[in-house]
Amino acid sequence: MRVGVLALQGAVKEHLRAVRRLGHTGVEVRLPEQLEGLDAIILPGGESTAMRRLLDKAGLLLPLQEFVLSKPTLGTCAGAILLAKRIEPSLEAPVLGVLDVTVERNAYGSQLDSFTCRGDVAGLQDFPLVFIRAPRFAGLGPNVSVLASCNGQIVGVRAGHTWALAFHPELTEDLRLHEMFLRPE
Amino acid sequence: MRTGLNRGLAEMLKGGVIMDVVNAEHALIAEAAGAVAVMALERVPADIRKQGGVARMSDPELIIAIKEAVSIPVMAKVRIGHFVEAQILQALRIDFIDESEVLTPADDQYHIDKHRFAIPFVCGARNLGEALRRIGEGAAMVRTKGEAGTGNVVEAVRHMRAVQSEIRRVMMAPDEELMTIAKELGAPFPLVQEVKKLGALPVVNFAAGGIATPADAALMMQLGCDGVFVGSGIFKSADPARRAAAIVQATTHFKDAERLAHISRGLGEAMPGLEIAGLTATYAQRGH
């Protein structure tokens, strides 16, 4: 598969490394034409406010929105915020607005509240969960299912081909989640 | 241990621009322009340079006002070796501490033992040995020292090239030479081994000190840094909001010359620059 990683800012290299280790072709996406021929895309962690500006300035907002509506998409942390239909605090307009969830930015506080734990994700047992100034999910629409929970909070969701995670599998050596996301259905 | 979490936050800042801001209004301009974090301080380095005197950690009130204004990570500076200023910033629950040569050093021999803190630190370095000493002390991120407040990128280039060429040397060296290299660099041996294994520093390395234009930011990115700090370069220029947005763009599209040409157009006056040879104080000499 040809797998794009949105490369405006953030943990781009880590996702590309995971994609390539699994035998797929990883492609950096900064401009609309780089979406051509991709089978799936990953929206990495980083700062969603910065990515919002950069998507807009690169003319990537509408082409990317069209792409994620039809192709497998994985958003991690900031990437999940880009996908959500509703962002809390609600002063913020959605970015791509394709996933029927409410995402609360910086839900736990500052970097001092960042944490790790382990848990089950989409049937994968004992997966390492790394939360860095992480968001969390609420208000799931009828087509959205829970992929993972941690301490009573929803930290991973899925609606069809669109996956959103509040944690960072790309910062671990565990490739199971990337493998599952990229597995042909 | 929070090493992984703290290095992880630095990973999330990659490809981004961290901007110096002196009040909440500047912080909002920085966030709107697409900054990945802001550095809260009372005076930008160009003013510290001009006004002289002892430069210290900022008033907590200012830092809190900036923290409340924006949703992106907030950093603030402490003096080299001033571990109590660091304790105070950690108690304010900001996101990152810069143990910075831009402030007047509190200790002329020792840096802060950063392993004692839960909060991440970034430190300046002129070469690989200095970078690895700071990482050995617990820094989760490094940056070039450059020469802050000058609008002159030459020192940042020098420091980035020095780190890169020393990394190449370590990578090429057979294992039996690593101990001697560690001795020469004044760097912890296990970190030299790690650099050889990774072919890179084990933490994110940003450019800082003298970046004033989109072209400067792209230059540093093409030289292999992971992102940029811009201090005086934005709010000492004629049109800070436009210049800030342009530097953010340039840091993302750093290899795209046509786009850089477009981004660089009509930004108004850049900050006035200073020749390094004419400086009365070189901040990069502070801390070793």
Side-chain angles (χ1 to χ4, degrees), chain A residues 8-10 14 30-31 45-47 49-50 53-54 57 105-106 110-115 131-133 168, chain B residues 2 5-6 8-9 11-14 32 34 36 71-73 90 93 95 118-120 226 249 252-253 259:
Chain A
L8 299 172
Q9 184 273 313
E14 289 74 9
R30 289 188 179 82
L31 297 170
E47 281 304 316
T49 53
R53 296 287 147 204
L54 287 159
K57 294 265 169 99
R105 290 185 60 207
N106 300 339
S110 81
Q111 172 62 6
L112 288 166
D113 304 296
S114 294
F115 63 101
F131 296 93
I132 297 175
R133 286 173 47 89
H168 294 282
Chain B
R2 295 181 63 84
L5 280 172
N6 286 342
L9 176 56
E11 303 285 355
M12 297 306 142
L13 303 175
K14 282 188 302 194
V36 291
S71 64
I72 54 180
Q90 178 165 277
R93 304 189 75 76
D95 298 291
I119 194 168
D226 294 310
Q249 296 273 309
T252 291
H253 301 286
R259 193 162 275 267

Side-chain angles (χ1 to χ4, degrees), chain B residues 33 35 47 64-65 71 96 98 100 187 227 248 250 255 264 268 272:
Chain B
D47 288 333
I64 291 165
S71 64
F96 233 106
D98 184 2
S100 177
V248 168
K255 284 185 281 196
S264 304

Side-chain angles (χ1 to χ4, degrees), chain B residues 5 38 43 60 73 80 107 123 138 150 169 190 196 214 247 269:
Chain B
L5 280 172
V38 289
R43 296 181 286 171
I80 290 173
D107 190 322
C123 290
T150 61
R169 181 182 167 213
K196 178 171 176 184
I247 292 175
E269 283 281 308

